[in-house]
Amino acid sequence: MVGKLYASSSPHLRQGDTTRKIMLDVIIALLPACIASVVIFGYMSAVLIAVSVVSCVICEYICRRIMKRNNTIGDLSAVVTGILLALNYPVSLSPLIAIGGSVVAIVIVKQMFGGIGQNFVNPALTARIVLLTSFSSKMSNWTEPFAYLNKNAADAVSTATPLADGEHLTSYFDLFFGIHGGCLGETCVLAILLGGIYLVARRVITPLIPLTYMGTVAILSLCFGLDPIYQLLSGGLMLGAVFMATDYTTTPLSNLGRFVFAVGCGLLTMLIRQFGSLPEGVSFSIVIMNILVPYIEKFTRLKPKGFIKPKKESASK
Amino acid sequence: MKSNDISLPTVPFRTRGGVRVPHRKTTSTCESIVMTVPSQVSIPMQQHIGAPCKPTVKVGDIVCVGQVIGDSDQFVSAPIHATVSGKVLKIADIPMTNGAKCQAVVIASDGLQTPYSELKPPKTDTLDEFLSAVRASGLVGLGGAGFPTHVKLRVPKDKNVDTLVVNGAECEPYITTDHREFLENSENILYAIVKVKEMLNLKRVVIGIEKNKPDAIELMRNLIKKEGKSDYIAVLALKASYPQGGEKVLIEACTGRVVEMGKLPADAGCIVMNVTSLGKLAEYLKTGMPLVTKRLTIAGSAIKEPKNVIVPIGTMIKDVIEFCGGYSEEPKKILMGGPMMGIALTTDELFILKQNNAILAFNEKDARLMETTDCIRCGRCVASCPMGLMPPLISRAVKLNEIEELKSLGAMNCMECGCCSFSCPAGKYIVQTMRTAKAMIRSAK
Ligand code: SF4
Ligand code: SF4
């Protein structure tokens, strides 16, 4: 006699990846950028990241409790949001504001729309934009790299980001290694690329969106008579293209949709950089494209194999 | 969408989606063993789609192997034969895998397996004689539902079928019965292929075998060359990707033709037959012995001695497993069929049907259900769907009860292959949702 048997629906085999494993991979991929931020901007970076992560997780936990939903902190997506948020802060930002950012990202953007997979805009980017509009000076108070080594100057050394300085004062070398003012995680292109390569190797993302985004930016820079390498290496572009524009929830499902999405991101970024009053357009472009995802999805729907339009069924043949 | 190209392909055509499943075909080297005759078999009167058969024997009758014990006068049906020799014990309702009851003839075996004296090779000079022979052989398709083979072969004149596609892909993990069929019965397979091709006046035959069975591919290629049939039979080494053996996928891989939604392979000029069906057909044509046994792969982590066994149809699953040494540990999941499309059973006291090809039993660890989260919109299901469907959008439409939307998303096209659920990191039961979607469309009609 056999005991009780599980009688679930087919298939009875799964490939082994889980939401948690994917999120863990994203966290691992973000580590180089985190480490780079600590090296470049000092221990305060680590504090900001920690505060941001912990507050995101706590927000998620409390939200789920209040809404009487199952506890989802185990899927690690709140940790990812926390890290991404912190990587978008200047090192001089007060941890209190960072906590505010977590509340916006998790409570308002993510959980109010139903939690993981349901939010239509990227939580980290939206929170950044909210903070940018409410605390614009604090959010754009850039510190010189390695200022923490310089005891005399304390932390008062302000600088401009390479995009905002108007002229190309930063060398490609400094841009690539992130030795310039900017947000925690967006300066070191090398670290971001390492993370990106890891994600592709682990098949968490495909290179489609990052490459299309970067390609569009490069082509448009040429059209606008700008230096494409400079445009690619500066601002939040790399971080955005690799980690933000590839966020599953807020991007289209099909490859065609993702391509359109990435072209849109590149286009908006360059339009904002060239014609907008803001120096940096990555966050805004991605969030705007996030909002457009349902529409992109409508016209980039896959055609099912051998599909015949339901109405024409009798007429065809 | 039917191209009229009837040249023989040498490499498979590209197909969409699919997933890389672990093969776990450890029984592929296990030569088939004939099971010792069970003391009793229960043969259900419905093992095919269409009208159920009526018993043609009475309690107390003495029957022999291959004797008809159930038949129907309906077109869509196939006769059912005694699979052991012995005495009809009772005619009773027995449980089926789906929980329903079905009338069955229960035969107590005398252990002798005496063949029925009136069995003789059928006459197949004309197409009608041939098709009647196919019906009399009791063959039904292996695609789960059990579509009677003679119905499939009786193509309407206007369909213009030119290609026989032989399904030897066997893409489900664990199962190796078709693989063994190639190795153990290749001449019969070829005999039946030639017969079907001639009787139906087809132009070419394409045999699709997954690359992971190189010995079968080589064997068939050599045999075809030796018999001088290379001018119209080709063997294609298909990529080892699930579900290459799905009917529509196989047709596309072998001929480049796409079967339109809701249409039959014949609409694309193709007939698909499974290798084991062909092997069985040849046996019937040569000896007159109809379909009374099936080769089954018995495997999985809870089976003591995984094997390929040849069992009489109607044998209780428990008896077959006992023949394979029984359970090595407590089974937590028993499947009829492969892990991708098989049905999870609630008991092992069910009976082997014509279309079965595997019984798998798994221990606690393999049977454990995956933890689920909400859909994270990773798009893996979309990338893996061979039919080009978008499961997250379909799930949404199911939730919102949007029938028109479901139709335009092509939900009816789903073949329940399970690639989507297999690749879903959120552990969603997408196939279940797809079934709901299809039921919603059907009931709205
Ligand atoms: S089960 Fe249906 S939806 Fe899922 S992959 Fe197969 S055909 Fe596509
Ligand atoms: S594979 Fe699962 S989690 Fe990913 S989009 Fe499909 S249903 Fe959602």
Side-chain angles (χ1 to χ4, degrees):
Chain A
M1 206 27 225
V2 297
K4 203 169 154 41
L5 298 169
Y6 291 113
S8 57
S9 154
S10 65
H12 308 279
L13 203 59
R14 303 277 184 160
Q15 40 53 67
D17 261 3
T18 58
T19 303
R20 184 190 294 128
K21 279 189 195 164
I22 290 176
M23 293 302 157
L24 192 62
D25 270 338
V26 177
I27 294 170
I28 294 172
L30 284 167
L31 284 182
C34 293
I35 294 168
S37 72
V38 177
V39 173
I40 299 167
F41 298 110
Y43 74 94
M44 263 317 281
S45 307
V47 172
L48 267 181
I49 295 171
V51 166
S52 180
V53 168
V54 170
S55 54
C56 275
V57 172
I58 293 176
C59 282
E60 171 122 340
Y61 181 78
I62 295 176
C63 269
R64 300 298 290 195
R65 276 302 279 270
I66 293 176
M67 298 204 250
K68 296 204 167 44
R69 302 248 181 93
N70 60 330
N71 179 8
T72 49
I73 58 171
D75 65 27
L76 299 180
S77 61
V79 177
V80 171
T81 304
I83 301 179
L84 284 174
L85 252 178
L87 294 184
N88 275 306
Y89 294 145
V91 68
S92 56
L93 193 76
S94 141
L96 277 178
I97 298 182
I99 293 175
S102 301
V103 172
V104 173
I106 298 291
V107 179
I108 298 177
V109 184
K110 188 177 173 194
Q111 293 300 342
M112 296 238 291
F113 286 92
I116 188 167
Q118 308 290 319
N119 48 293
F120 62 95
V121 283
N122 188 313
L125 284 183
T126 314
R128 181 193 188 187
I129 291 174
V130 169
L131 294 186
L132 206 54
T133 38
S134 345
F135 305 97
S136 67
S137 63
K138 292 205 172 77
M139 282 294 283
S140 33
N141 178 19
W142 312 117
T143 310
E144 279 282 5
F146 304 116
Y148 63 99
L149 295 177
N150 187 346
K151 292 271 159 13
N152 304 330
D155 56 347
V157 203
S158 287
T159 180
T161 66
L163 268 179
D165 71 7
E167 282 147 68
H168 295 178
L169 302 176
T170 319
S171 68
Y172 289 160
F173 179 88
D174 283 354
L175 281 174
F176 189 71
F177 288 98
I179 309 170
H180 59 83
C183 296
L184 289 189
E186 67 181 28
T187 63
C188 183
V189 173
L190 173 69
I192 297 167
L193 286 182
L194 282 179
I197 291 168
Y198 176 79
L199 287 183
V200 171
R202 298 279 299 157
R203 293 174 189 270
V204 172
I205 61 168
T206 62
L208 176 71
I209 291 181
L211 292 185
T212 312
Y213 194 165
M214 294 176 204
T216 312
V217 166
I219 292 170
L220 283 175
S221 316
L222 286 174
C223 297
F224 294 157
L226 301 169
D227 176 356
I229 300 179
Y230 201 85
Q231 291 298 323
L232 283 176
L233 296 183
S234 54
L237 186 78
M238 283 292 168
L239 188 69
V242 174
F243 288 102
M244 309 286 195
T246 56
D247 170 38
Y248 290 151
T249 303
T250 52
T251 52
L253 289 163
S254 70
N255 281 341
L256 179 62
R258 287 174 181 171
F259 177 78
V260 173
F261 173 87
V263 170
C265 287
L267 195 73
L268 287 179
T269 303
M270 287 317 288
L271 288 179
I272 294 175
R273 281 188 181 177
Q274 183 73 348
F275 303 110
S277 53
L278 304 155
E280 172 56 328
V282 171
S283 310
F284 282 96
S285 348
I286 298 178
V287 169
I288 292 170
M289 290 313 288
N290 285 164
I291 296 169
L292 293 178
V293 163
Y295 304 98
I296 299 176
E297 207 123 73
K298 268 239 159 71
F299 69 86
T300 58
R301 253 187 205 178
L302 293 178
K303 181 176 166 290
K305 262 261 142 77
F307 188 66
I308 319 168
K309 273 232 176 89
K311 269 164 222 121
K312 283 192 208 148
E313 204 155 24
S314 51
S316 73
K317 220 186 120 182
Chain B
M1 218 195 293
K2 183 186 158 204
S3 78
N4 292 316
D5 179 17
I6 49 155
S7 59
L8 274 186
T10 49
V11 285
F13 293 83
R14 259 181 64 98
T15 52
R16 184 189 197 282
V19 287
R20 252 184 282 167
V21 291
H23 297 307
R24 301 190 185 151
K25 294 185 185 272
T26 48
T27 54
S28 65
T29 50
C30 301
E31 213 165 297
S32 315
I33 299 166
V34 179
M35 182 182 163
T36 39
V37 190
S39 57
Q40 188 179 316
V41 294
S42 303
I43 308 171
M45 287 295 110
Q46 177 143 38
Q47 302 187 40
H48 49 258
I49 243 172
C53 291
K54 293 204 180 65
T56 55
V57 287
K58 304 184 302 296
V59 175
D61 282 2
I62 302 293
V63 292
C64 294
V65 180
Q67 185 177 344
V68 173
I69 56 168
D71 208 343
S72 162
D73 47 14
Q74 298 291 308
F75 173 61
V76 184
S77 66
I80 288 164
H81 306 86
T83 60
V84 294
S85 60
K87 192 161 137 193
V88 177
L89 261 190
K90 56 181 174 184
I91 293 173
D93 281 352
I94 57 163
M96 301 293 277
T97 48
N98 59 4
K101 297 268 180 192
C102 177
Q103 193 180 38
V105 173
V106 181
I107 306 171
S109 157
D110 59 11
L112 301 175
Q113 291 303 78
T114 327
Y116 188 44
S117 55
E118 283 173 37
L119 297 181
K120 57 173 190 305
K123 254 178 65 152
T124 54
D125 297 335
T126 66
L127 178 61
D128 267 343
E129 279 173 357
F130 174 70
L131 292 173
S132 310
V134 176
R135 182 176 192 282
S137 72
L139 278 176
V140 301
L142 294 161
F147 198 66
T149 306
H150 72 100
V151 181
K152 179 158 71 179
L153 293 186
R154 202 179 291 267
V155 251
K157 289 263 163 350
D158 60 315
K159 292 283 199 256
N160 196 10
V161 170
D162 52 24
T163 308
L164 170 65
V165 177
V166 178
N167 190 351
E170 202 162 53
C171 49
E172 277 267 13
Y174 294 95
I175 308 181
T176 58
T177 52
D178 286 347
H179 190 180
R180 292 314 303 178
E181 184 75 18
F182 276 122
L183 300 183
E184 295 168 13
N185 208 9
S186 56
E187 299 199 352
N188 272 339
I189 295 171
L190 189 59
Y191 176 86
I193 288 175
V194 173
K195 193 78 191 175
V196 171
K197 186 245 167 200
E198 279 169 5
M199 296 312 301
L200 299 187
N201 206 3
L202 305 177
K203 304 278 188 313
R204 60 169 177 175
V205 181
V206 185
I207 307 177
I209 308 177
E210 263 192 17
K211 264 197 199 116
N212 58 7
K213 297 177 261 296
D215 47 353
I217 296 173
E218 201 180 295
L219 179 80
M220 288 314 288
R221 282 194 176 145
N222 289 341
L223 185 68
I224 291 163
K225 205 180 275 163
K226 197 178 104 212
E227 300 284 321
K229 310 280 187 215
S230 324
D231 53 331
Y232 66 87
I233 308 181
V235 179
L236 284 189
L238 306 177
K239 67 176 178 199
S241 144
Y242 179 87
Q244 285 291 293
E247 198 166 60
K248 290 182 173 181
V249 181
L250 185 77
I251 291 174
E252 189 172 11
C254 289
T255 67
R257 297 176 188 171
V258 175
V259 181
E260 287 185 336
M261 202 171 139
K263 297 277 171 86
L264 294 171
D267 294 298
C270 295
I271 281 195
V272 183
M273 286 186 82
N274 174 277
V275 268
T276 301
S277 305
L278 284 161
K280 289 284 177 199
L281 177 61
E283 273 163 42
Y284 179 71
L285 295 176
K286 284 178 172 177
T287 65
M289 179 57 81
L291 177 62
V292 292
T293 57
K294 270 311 288 276
R295 180 189 292 107
L296 300 177
T297 296
I298 311 295
S301 50
I303 297 285
K304 204 172 258 165
E305 303 157 17
K307 279 194 182 79
N308 281 309
V309 282
I310 295 178
V311 305
I313 289 156
T315 308
M316 193 185 274
I317 290 172
K318 198 159 94 178
D319 296 342
V320 187
I321 289 175
E322 248 149 51
F323 180 73
C324 296
Y327 299 109
S328 56
E329 52 191 302
E330 201 193 341
K332 281 291 172 194
K333 191 177 244 182
I334 302 181
L335 300 181
M336 189 176 249
M340 294 301 284
M341 288 189 76
I343 304 168
L345 306 179
T346 47
T347 159
D348 57 1
E349 291 172 352
L350 294 168
F351 304 91
I352 303 296
L353 306 176
K354 286 177 178 180
Q355 63 265 43
N356 289 159
N357 53 1
I359 300 291
L360 307 176
F362 296 101
N363 61 19
E364 167 75 36
K365 184 170 154 277
D366 289 341
R368 209 176 295 147
L369 303 180
M370 185 180 164
E371 213 180 296
T372 62
T373 68
D374 279 336
C375 166
I376 54 172
R377 287 179 48 92
C378 65
R380 294 183 187 194
C381 50
V382 178
S384 70
C385 178
M387 304 317 287
L389 305 182
M390 304 184 80
L393 302 188
I394 294 176
S395 302
R396 222 187 105 223
V398 166
K399 246 182 237 145
L400 301 178
N401 203 5
E402 295 172 344
I403 308 281
E404 285 312 309
E405 176 79 345
L406 284 177
K407 281 187 198 163
S408 68
L409 284 164
M412 269 332 250
N413 223 4
C414 171
M415 55 173 171
E416 299 176 21
C417 64
C419 291
C420 47
S421 304
F422 174 81
S423 32
C424 178
K428 291 257 159 223
Y429 289 94
I430 305 173
V431 179
Q432 221 167 6
T433 309
M434 300 304 293
R435 288 194 194 114
T436 314
K438 292 204 276 187
M440 282 166 67
I441 296 177
R442 270 192 221 108
S443 63
K445 262 178 194 163

